[in-house]
Amino acid sequence: LAVASGEQVIRARAKGLPVTFVMQWWQRYPIAIASKSAAGIKTPADLAGRNVGVPGFFGASYVGLVGLLSANGLTLDDIDANDIGFNQVESLLTDQSEAVVVYINNEPVQLRQRGEDVDVIAVADYIDLVANGILTNEKTMAENPELVQRFINAFTRGLRDTLADPDAAYEISKKYVEGLGDDRRGVLEASLPLWQSDQLGRTDPAAWQQTQDILIEMGLLNGPLPDLAATFTNDFVDNTGE
């Protein structure tokens, strides 16, 4: 079992790896574009011609950026995208970048804590991509489904309890996360809306289709998977009793 994002699962299946996504933890894709409010970048269209700092041309941040642009009739050619590493906060504060690709529950929290007024464009407001969830392999799923079910049951209980009482969850986490102080409490608060759904953990087939389409557009996938439906299942989530 592992935590993985949807685009990683699709690319793994394309390489012949027999893995299956069995629970969607993050219901909203957490990637966003942050900018100083003074920059006037309020909508995706405002990104045209702007200097946008990207942590790297790989992974969820890159997929989220391209997905956002594509959903609004734009491409990477319409912006000035620059690889800045994971230095989004400093790059924005020092005006090296007019906008930066961020995790909506992380860098915007840090920027506001440092007194900066920021505008945030959430990728999930424009396109539904598959975010992080629980991954297993077909052998484990077939030979030891009870193990997978017990894990999903426990994970769902922890998620449900965290949403119900985030203060208690944060205090418990301090026992296991070295150096976790109250200064990071805002990250949890910003994460809670990303995890919520009518039924915790369910994944939407339409989101998998959109994620696959973006990967093809980016050239990270040669074509549609012959078995996209085998990439994910809601069976274990549906059996948690949620």
Side-chain angles (χ1 to χ4, degrees), residues 30-226:
I31 302 304
I33 309 295
S35 61
K36 290 183 177 180
S37 295
I41 301 175
K42 309 291 186 183
T43 70
D46 296 328
L47 292 169
R50 300 298 190 108
N51 181 327
V52 181
V54 186
F57 295 97
F58 58 86
S61 295
Y62 183 36
V63 172
L65 172 61
V66 174
L68 175 69
L69 294 173
S70 178
N72 289 276
L74 301 169
T75 70
L76 286 172
D77 292 336
D78 294 308
I79 66 173
D80 179 17
N82 294 281
D83 187 341
I84 61 170
F86 292 94
N87 299 300
Q88 299 100 313
V89 171
E90 294 303 325
S91 184
L92 193 66
L93 288 176
T94 58
D95 295 320
Q96 296 178 55
S97 301
E98 294 177 276
V100 288
V101 181
V102 299
Y103 274 77
I104 198 169
N105 59 329
N106 188 11
E107 288 85 3
V109 174
Q110 296 182 49
L111 287 161
R112 287 166 179 146
Q113 287 176 340
R114 293 173 69 165
E116 187 64 53
D117 290 330
V118 293
D119 288 320
V120 178
I121 301 172
V123 170
D125 286 344
Y126 297 90
I127 185 171
D128 188 13
L129 302 174
V130 182
N132 284 0
I134 306 302
L135 177 73
T136 190
N137 61 75
E138 292 178 354
K139 182 178 180 181
T140 298
M141 200 164 56
E143 297 181 359
N144 199 352
E146 296 84 4
L147 170 67
V148 179
Q149 188 66 64
R150 290 197 305 270
F151 185 87
I152 296 303
N153 291 349
F155 195 99
T156 302
R157 178 178 176 180
L159 180 56
R160 183 177 62 245
D161 289 352
T162 299
L163 291 167
D165 193 347
D167 289 332
Y170 197 78
E171 289 305 311
I172 290 170
S173 297
K174 287 181 178 179
K175 302 176 184 178
Y176 304 97
V177 182
E178 185 177 352
L180 182 63
D182 290 336
D183 59 319
R184 302 296 290 170
R185 181 67 171 74
V187 173
L188 174 60
E189 292 176 357
S191 300
L192 299 175
L194 307 177
W195 302 340
Q196 292 172 332
S197 67
D198 292 337
Q199 182 180 2
L200 297 180
R202 280 202 119 249
T203 191
D204 183 1
W208 286 94
Q209 185 64 56
Q210 290 190 76
T211 305
Q212 176 178 256
D213 291 345
I214 289 298
L215 293 176
I216 294 172
E217 180 179 329
M218 297 173 69
L220 297 177
L221 201 65
N222 292 329
L225 295 182

